[in-house]
Amino acid sequence: MAVPAEARFWNVPNTLTMSRLVLAVVVFALIAYGQYLPALAVFGVASLTDALDGYFARLLDQGTPLGRQLDPLVDKVIVSGAYIYLLSVPHTGVQPWMVTTIVVREMLIQGLRSHLEGQGQAFGAAMAGKLKTLVQCLSISAILLSLAIPTTNYSLILVRDGLTWLAVALTIYSGLGYVVMAMPFMRQKASTP
């Protein structure tokens, strides 16, 4: 008897998501060894898989509850990990409080998502969360580019720092939005005997 496509773990979107996890490890290693241009290229490919996994999940009707949790979790791993690795590199414009804010927000929202999805309540990404992820990826890309091409071009530095500050602001804003969105479900659960 054939297993329905939606029940298979190794469907197209989940395979793309898991490949992004492997690419994340490569990005971290490249940053650790100061290979910023290759890190930027691999990070770009990883970002592309993030766009494609959702597209194929809808196109092939292969969206699953596991995939809804796995995709944002892997996003959080690559983004948080990249910021953590970049924190130790001089002249990135990244501050410890920024990385702490991003990591804490990502852990909190992933915990909420896992809890609610485990209770059977869909808790997918909101538009603010998607915009936050996009700006975070642009910020990391700008940082890697500025490290790969050392320059005194203040325009690039201004864009890099502007994107990083915007990423932090959207991280806080979208995180608060998710908490507000989750509160009715949490209250409902608390009041259910």
Side-chain angles (χ1 to χ4, degrees):
M1 182 175 191
V3 178
E6 64 271 16
R8 291 190 189 125
F9 176 79
W10 290 112
N11 59 25
V12 173
N14 287 350
T15 301
L16 285 167
T17 299
M18 293 307 293
S19 73
R20 189 159 69 259
L21 188 58
V22 173
L23 292 172
V25 175
V26 175
V27 170
F28 303 156
L30 289 169
I31 293 172
Y33 286 100
Q35 301 298 311
Y36 304 119
L37 199 54
L40 175 59
V42 175
F43 186 78
V45 172
S47 298
L48 181 61
T49 68
D50 185 28
L52 290 176
D53 61 11
Y55 170 76
F56 281 115
R58 290 183 296 277
L59 180 71
L60 303 173
D61 194 27
Q62 292 183 342
T64 62
L66 176 63
R68 279 198 308 272
Q69 288 194 55
L70 196 59
D71 177 48
L73 175 63
V74 173
D75 290 345
K76 289 164 180 33
V77 168
I78 192 166
V79 166
S80 297
Y83 277 122
I84 289 167
Y85 272 83
L86 288 168
L87 185 58
S88 66
V89 180
H91 313 298
T92 59
V94 177
Q95 300 296 322
W97 72 267
M98 294 173 163
V99 176
T100 304
T101 299
I102 289 168
V103 171
V104 168
R105 182 268 187 210
E106 302 299 20
M107 290 172 60
L108 174 66
I109 300 309
Q110 189 60 37
L112 273 175
R113 176 176 283 117
S114 295
H115 175 72
L116 291 173
E117 291 272 353
Q119 303 295 321
Q121 177 62 50
F123 194 70
M127 185 52 68
K130 292 178 181 180
L131 181 60
K132 176 266 313 176
T133 302
L134 173 64
V135 175
Q136 286 175 338
C137 289
L138 291 173
S139 161
I140 292 166
S141 298
I143 293 167
L144 289 170
L145 182 62
S146 71
L147 291 170
I149 309 167
T151 179
T152 54
N153 183 333
Y154 293 111
S155 298
L156 176 58
I157 292 167
L158 189 62
V159 168
R160 176 200 73 189
D161 291 350
L163 284 169
T164 301
W165 279 87
L166 181 58
V168 173
L170 285 170
T171 296
I172 295 168
Y173 173 76
S174 65
L176 291 173
Y178 279 116
V179 169
V180 168
M181 190 168 64
M183 288 310 291
F185 303 118
M186 301 297 282
R187 283 196 198 107
Q188 183 182 25
K189 263 306 186 195
S191 64
T192 304

